Amino acid sequence: MAGGRWRRAASTAWRSLTVWAASTLTMLILAGILPDFQLQADNGDSATRVAVTAAYGAGAFALLSALVWPLLVRALLLVPALVLGLGVFFLNGALLLFALDLIPDGRGEVSPETAVVVAAVMSAVASATGGALAVRDDDAYRRRLYRLADRRRRAAVENAGAAAGPPTPGTVFIQLDGVGHEVLLRAARDDVMPTVGTWLRDGRHRLTPWRTDWSSQTGASQLGILHGSNHDIPAFRWYEKDTGEIQVSNRPTSAAELQRRAIEHTGDGGLLTVDGASRGNLFSGGAEEVALVLSVAARRGKENRSRAGYFAYFSDPANAVRTALSFFAEVGREIGQSTRARLRRRRPRIGRGGLYPFIRAFATVVERDVVVAAVIGDLLAGRSAVYADLVAYDEVAHHSGPFGRDAQKVLARLDRSLALIEKVAEHAPRPYRIVLLSDHGQSPGETFHARYGLTLQDLVRAGCGLPVPRKARRTHSGAEARAAVRAALRRPVEEPAEESARKGKHHEPVVLASGNLGLVSFPDVPHRMSREEIDARHPALLPTLANHPGIGFLLVRSEEHGAVVLGARGAAVPIGDLADGQGPLADFGPGAADAVRRTDSFPHTADIMVNSWYDPVDGEVLAFEEQIGSHGGLGGAQGRPFLLSPVALPEPVPAGSELVGAEQVHRVLRRWLRDGDGPQVPLENSLPQAPDIASFVAAPPEARDESG
């Protein structure tokens, strides 16, 4: 035992000395390159003396970073997140200036602007050196995780008086935003996601597809999953006549209001109310521990703990440097990928310029790094339930397509994050069950505007006899990452329709898009307009929409028949007579009729609900937004997410049944948390097998069905 401790101490000391030597060498090189940075007296010094000065400065800088940096970051938690992310470089430079002032005889000198550069490079080199040593030494990596776990465990003992970690297993729910069932199967089969592939092949996990509601998007799905109700969520964005406001799921004020309504509807705080943590989500789920949660981002003062997750990550200045380097690398990657797509004239294709490269980098790098770090902290703290959303794939797939190479590379990087979480869970103070799930999928296809040269708003205005702009205005993509950036900058989000309402254009229809789902409302009529009222005011509108080749079907309320679904050539079916595979819903698959009936019952359903055309052969839809991978309505893979769970947990639904709706997923997850007293992993000989999934993932390429 004593010999092992000495070996570990020697290994730690050797790694520390190696990192110190690398930092010293970096400081010497920078002093030779940068004119405003010197490590010698004005009258000159010997090379040995300069080296000693560099070693002294590197050691002082490392010590200050370890002792002072966490206190500085904690003091800056009230600063907007992105400002904190940028400010770390200047604070790092200030620490270097102070460290150089500690060098005897004033041999260290650097200008403030150069100090920022030197500190950033030194932190990057130290991080890279330490990371390389840890990767090469698996035992050292494991020991570091054990030390972190022991530290958290000791803190828990001191704070709560507990003797040890809970014996019952905790549960980590990782949401891969926008990853459909088919996409996950392909990624596992083709080793794009080897960690997930291993989970499927080893027979210890089961894969269950589930079906979304009509509104196949994060706002509806995640609210239902975390809070047990997505009642009255007709789309990603919708107009409410009683308040005159547009609710947008990824707007902080809207997210807070939708969460409040869900809690009022269910009488329950949410899935995570008992020792839970919510990371990177639109909603808190009732968790006390939150980071990057939109529904609390609008709060002021101490009640807003959403940005507290940044402390766990940015308390190490090397993390800030590493994330910044990855951020700008991702920006360059996006610019290169979009340029290549444009030069090769790929179709379908949308514009990917402006701020989008930076928004993509935020989603795929900053958000991922901070959320994963927060989840790791939760594991080592032994929390009972953690729910985290990783939005990277959804953001990229909107612009590059759900099956494109760009999106596949993002899946590969997410898989590495899952592997890291799985590794850390092995060293947590309690056993953990990792549940992987998605909130919706994405359906490919070009935009409505690209195919027909006009937007849905243009088509509605034409049907109303209103002037149509010559140049159609682009709509928002609606990706969740955009709201995270705006929340970090504390900037409001405004819809074009709100601007029109402020200008007094209440007589004009409000047209909103959520993927391939469109909503048309008439703000000057306080109630939901009937088909007869719409025909009396705009006799050409409903026929124009229903008979357009890019429209699949409409939902309107009729005074004579109640709600009806309208299709081409005068088809009109009362929702009571709707059946899957028939009439206007013939191509939209099982469950479409029930989904339409449920949405019709919502108080804030629009006057006209518009679902785009869908091709059941190619699985393509036409997005009403600027997206070539979209979700939000009915049609194709967007309504087919997945639930990947350990077989130690009970079956989500009985054999032969289907998991339908986010509210039912909530009930399944709540049951798993309630029944969490069972063993984490059953005996080897009692493992049920999943031959279909396992054989599909393990089959050689030539034996696979390439249709997926």
Side-chain angles (χ1 to χ4, degrees):
M1 293 288 292
R5 284 196 296 270
W6 277 109
R7 284 193 297 272
R8 289 194 293 271
S11 176
T12 301
W14 176 78
R15 289 197 305 276
S16 300
L17 287 173
T18 303
V19 173
W20 183 25
S23 298
T24 301
L25 179 60
T26 302
M27 184 173 279
L28 286 170
I29 294 173
L30 292 174
I33 295 174
L34 301 174
D36 295 332
F37 182 32
Q38 69 174 35
L39 296 172
Q40 57 184 340
D42 293 336
N43 57 358
D45 273 326
S46 65
T48 301
R49 182 63 185 177
V50 173
V52 171
T53 301
Y56 192 101
F61 178 63
L63 185 62
L64 288 171
S65 295
L67 298 178
V68 179
W69 188 262
L71 300 177
L72 287 175
V73 175
R74 186 176 292 277
L76 290 172
L77 280 181
L78 295 179
V79 175
L82 290 186
V83 176
L84 172 61
L86 296 174
V88 294
F89 294 99
F90 298 100
L91 292 173
N92 220 14
L95 287 181
L96 179 64
L97 284 171
F98 185 57
L100 294 178
D101 284 341
L102 298 177
I103 298 176
D105 303 325
R107 284 180 164 80
E109 184 177 340
V110 64
S111 64
E113 59 273 15
T114 305
V116 173
V117 177
V118 173
V121 174
M122 288 182 62
S123 295
V125 170
S127 175
T129 304
L133 292 173
V135 169
R136 292 176 62 86
D137 187 352
D138 290 339
D139 290 336
Y141 177 66
R142 289 173 182 270
R143 286 195 298 271
R144 178 175 180 273
L145 294 178
Y146 276 129
R147 285 196 301 273
L148 288 171
D150 288 339
R151 193 178 309 158
R152 299 285 182 131
R153 209 176 288 118
R154 285 196 299 270
V157 170
E158 293 174 1
N159 295 333
T168 57
T171 308
V172 180
F173 303 104
I174 304 295
Q175 177 180 303
L176 298 185
D177 206 296
V179 179
H181 177 262
E182 180 185 2
V183 167
L184 187 82
L185 270 180
R186 288 190 180 190
R189 178 194 68 186
D190 298 336
D191 271 344
V192 173
M193 303 184 76
T195 302
V196 174
T198 299
W199 291 355
L200 288 172
R201 284 189 292 265
D202 66 8
R204 294 174 181 268
H205 291 75
R206 68 171 68 88
L207 182 63
T208 307
W210 64 279
R211 198 169 67 232
T212 67
D213 304 290
W214 187 359
S215 181
S216 54
Q217 46 84 23
T218 304
S221 292
Q222 197 179 87
L223 188 65
I225 293 171
L226 287 177
H227 288 278
S229 171
N230 58 8
H231 174 73
D232 202 19
I233 310 292
F236 187 80
R237 51 175 67 82
W238 66 95
Y239 179 75
E240 296 190 342
K241 293 187 175 185
D242 51 350
T243 63
E245 295 181 354
I246 293 177
Q247 297 290 350
V248 187
S249 298
N250 67 354
R251 175 190 289 173
T253 53
S254 294
E257 173 62 16
L258 298 181
Q259 180 172 307
R260 185 197 66 77
R261 294 179 187 179
I263 294 174
E264 185 179 89
H265 186 76
T266 62
D268 182 84
L271 185 72
L272 307 173
T273 51
V274 179
D275 191 28
S278 180
R279 311 300 189 185
N281 300 310
L282 295 181
F283 311 103
S284 73
E288 285 294 322
E289 294 292 331
V290 295
L292 278 70
V293 174
L294 213 62
S295 64
V296 302
R299 299 177 186 172
R300 300 298 183 186
K302 294 182 179 180
E303 290 186 352
N304 183 1
R305 300 181 304 278
S306 182
R307 285 183 291 276
Y310 282 95
F311 169 73
Y313 190 75
F314 289 119
S315 59
D316 179 0
N319 284 346
V321 175
R322 182 168 57 248
T323 296
L325 293 176
S326 298
F327 178 91
F328 289 109
E330 185 71 10
V331 170
R333 184 180 296 115
E334 161 56 26
I335 293 173
Q337 291 173 348
S338 60
T339 301
R340 184 164 55 249
R342 188 168 59 253
L343 292 176
R344 295 180 178 177
R345 301 180 182 274
R346 289 180 184 163
R347 290 288 185 271
R349 190 181 74 246
I350 60 173
R352 291 158 60 174
L355 292 177
Y356 171 68
F358 297 95
I359 293 172
R360 165 177 163 166
F362 181 88
T364 58
V365 176
V366 179
E367 195 268 356
R368 179 202 64 201
D369 288 353
V370 174
V371 168
V372 170
V375 171
I376 289 174
D378 294 327
L379 291 172
L380 297 177
R383 303 200 194 286
S384 298
V386 182
Y387 194 103
D389 186 12
L390 298 174
V391 304
Y393 170 85
D394 190 62
E395 176 65 29
V396 174
H398 276 314
H399 296 78
S400 304
F403 299 107
R405 287 186 58 196
D406 302 356
Q408 299 300 302
K409 291 178 180 178
V410 173
L411 288 175
R413 291 195 289 272
L414 289 176
D415 188 81
R416 290 197 289 271
S417 296
L418 296 176
L420 176 60
I421 291 172
E422 182 183 35
K423 176 65 71 175
V424 172
E426 296 174 2
H427 303 274
R430 68 190 300 174
Y432 272 98
R433 302 169 298 196
I434 299 176
V435 175
L436 202 62
L437 75 161
S438 60
D439 49 348
H440 55 79
Q442 285 203 19
S443 297
E446 62 183 329
T447 68
F448 187 86
H449 177 265
R451 178 168 293 189
Y452 299 110
L454 77 169
T455 66
L456 177 62
Q457 183 175 21
D458 297 332
L459 186 62
V460 170
R461 291 180 65 86
C464 293
L466 297 171
V468 177
R470 291 187 177 183
K471 186 175 182 180
R473 188 174 193 171
R474 287 186 176 180
T475 57
H476 303 292
S477 76
E480 286 76 16
R482 298 178 184 274
V485 176
R486 293 189 182 102
L489 293 173
R490 296 181 180 172
R491 293 178 58 186
V493 184
E494 187 172 84
E495 295 293 319
E498 288 176 303
E499 180 183 352
S500 298
R502 284 204 325 272
K503 293 180 179 179
K505 299 180 180 179
H506 293 287
H507 63 284
E508 295 188 2
V510 174
V511 183
L512 299 171
S514 295
N516 74 317
L517 177 64
L519 296 87
V520 183
S521 300
F522 294 91
D524 59 324
V525 179
H527 58 270
R528 183 177 171 186
M529 289 187 73
S530 68
R531 177 185 183 183
E532 291 79 5
E533 288 176 308
I534 296 172
D535 285 340
R537 176 185 283 198
H538 303 294
L541 177 57
L542 293 178
T544 297
L545 293 174
N547 290 299
H548 192 280
I551 302 299
F553 65 89
L554 312 177
L555 171 67
V556 294
R557 182 70 60 84
S558 168
E559 296 174 2
E560 181 180 357
H561 302 290
V564 295
V565 169
L566 306 181
R569 296 178 295 278
V573 181
I575 61 170
D577 299 333
L578 280 179
D580 293 333
Q582 298 178 15
L585 301 182
D587 294 332
F588 288 89
D594 288 338
V596 171
R597 276 190 284 266
R598 182 171 187 263
T599 300
D600 176 67
S601 69
F602 293 164
H604 290 113
T605 296
D607 295 328
I608 308 172
M609 300 287 290
V610 185
N611 203 99
S612 86
W613 163 89
Y614 165 60
D615 182 356
V617 177
D618 295 329
E620 294 186 351
V621 300
L622 297 175
F624 297 127
E625 304 183 81
E626 285 295 302
Q627 301 171 346
I628 59 173
S630 67
H631 58 89
L634 288 173
Q638 61 182 318
R640 197 76 167 170
F642 71 89
L643 177 63
L644 179 64
S645 57
V647 296
L649 295 168
E651 288 274 5
V653 289
S657 301
E658 189 174 15
L659 189 57
V660 179
E663 294 181 357
Q664 187 176 358
V665 174
H666 170 86
R667 291 192 287 271
V668 170
L669 303 190
R670 184 176 283 275
R671 173 161 49 90
W672 287 347
L673 292 179
R674 188 172 56 246
D675 299 340
D677 293 336
Q680 182 185 18
V681 178
L683 297 176
E684 188 73 30
N685 58 10
S686 67
L687 284 172
Q689 298 299 312
D692 293 336
I693 298 295
S695 60
F696 178 82
V697 175
E702 61 273 11
R704 296 170 182 155
D705 177 8
E706 290 303 317
S707 66

